[in-house]
Amino acid sequence: MERVRPLASRRRLLAGAAALATVPYALLSGTRAEARPRAVDHPTAEWQPASGSNYTKSSRPTAYPLDHVVIHVTQETYADTLAIFQNPQKRVSAHYVVRSSDGHIAQCVREADIAWHAGNWDYNTRSIGIEHEGWVDRPAYFTDALYESSAALTAAICARYGIPKDRAHIIGHHEVPGSDHTDPGPLWDWSRYIRLVNFM
């Protein structure tokens, strides 16, 4: 029969806590704490931060009103898109990237900050940019998982900032004034997407 170890006394526990309180904060807040991921704005997103050289720190919606969501298609793989956003020489980012295969979401820039995604400073300041893994001419990348995950993300963003869930406020990159991009392209199913956003 195994002997049960006696529980530590309250006095011993308090003495241990007092000893811990004397340990310098610098020793407790080492690299392990620093390596913890930053909290995300969307609960199912994974924090994959863009380089600080690729976006502008801000305090939106206080500094700028948020009134648009801009839909992009990466023209790259999911992994390559994250690598581009993490490269300080690329000077580009988006708030989110949605993976084609399973709808997994990476958050790269906090919603309060200004991602450099639209190619138009005014629209950058007023919008959340969502990249979708794929190519404009390869509809197989626009999976059910991608549409549904992205629509739930967009619906949550619209709810957070009071953005109407319509095509005037949820726009493609090609609709940003001055844009020379074509994404999300003619194969993106806008009717389905807006319906899903409003269903969420």
Side-chain angles (χ1 to χ4, degrees):
M1 185 168 156
E2 194 175 332
R3 293 183 76 175
V4 178
R5 199 169 154 184
L7 293 173
S9 71
R10 184 172 183 275
R11 179 174 292 184
R12 183 175 287 165
L13 288 173
L14 291 174
L20 186 58
T22 65
V23 176
Y25 176 76
L27 293 178
L28 296 176
S29 60
T31 55
R32 186 174 296 167
E34 304 269 332
R36 262 185 265 156
R38 201 168 169 190
V40 291
D41 293 303
H42 189 69
T44 62
E46 173 190 7
W47 181 241
Q48 288 283 342
S51 166
S53 299
N54 294 340
Y55 66 92
T56 302
K57 295 286 290 174
S58 188
S59 57
R60 304 183 314 165
T62 304
Y64 299 94
L66 283 164
D67 55 18
H68 283 82
V69 176
V70 179
I71 302 299
H72 301 265
V73 170
T74 60
Q75 299 295 110
E76 296 282 351
T77 65
Y78 173 85
D80 285 349
T81 301
L82 295 180
I84 288 167
F85 291 171
Q86 291 164 357
N87 181 339
Q89 297 177 337
K90 293 297 184 177
R91 315 292 286 170
V92 66
S93 63
H95 294 92
Y96 295 98
V97 183
V98 183
R99 190 162 58 202
S100 170
S101 62
D102 57 3
H104 179 77
I105 299 170
Q107 182 168 5
C108 304
V109 177
R110 295 299 306 269
E111 291 176 7
D113 297 329
I114 302 166
W116 299 347
H117 63 98
N120 174 313
W121 178 249
D122 182 48
Y123 273 72
N124 280 345
T125 64
R126 297 166 41 205
S127 65
I128 302 289
I130 305 174
E131 287 280 3
H132 298 82
E133 180 186 24
W135 283 262
V136 295
D137 58 349
R138 300 188 207 171
Y141 276 90
F142 303 154
T143 62
D144 291 344
L146 178 135
Y147 273 119
E148 290 165 12
S149 179
S150 175
L153 171 61
T154 294
I157 291 166
C158 289
R160 270 196 287 283
Y161 302 107
I163 301 171
K165 298 177 182 179
D166 60 30
R167 281 288 284 119
H169 297 87
I170 304 168
I171 64 173
H173 191 182
H174 71 285
E175 296 171 289
V176 173
S179 174
D180 60 357
H181 287 248
T182 62
D183 60 306
L187 302 178
W188 180 262
D189 191 339
W190 278 110
S191 297
R192 177 186 184 187
Y193 189 70
I194 297 298
R195 187 170 63 249
L196 281 169
V197 169
N198 280 278
F199 179 74
M200 299 292 177

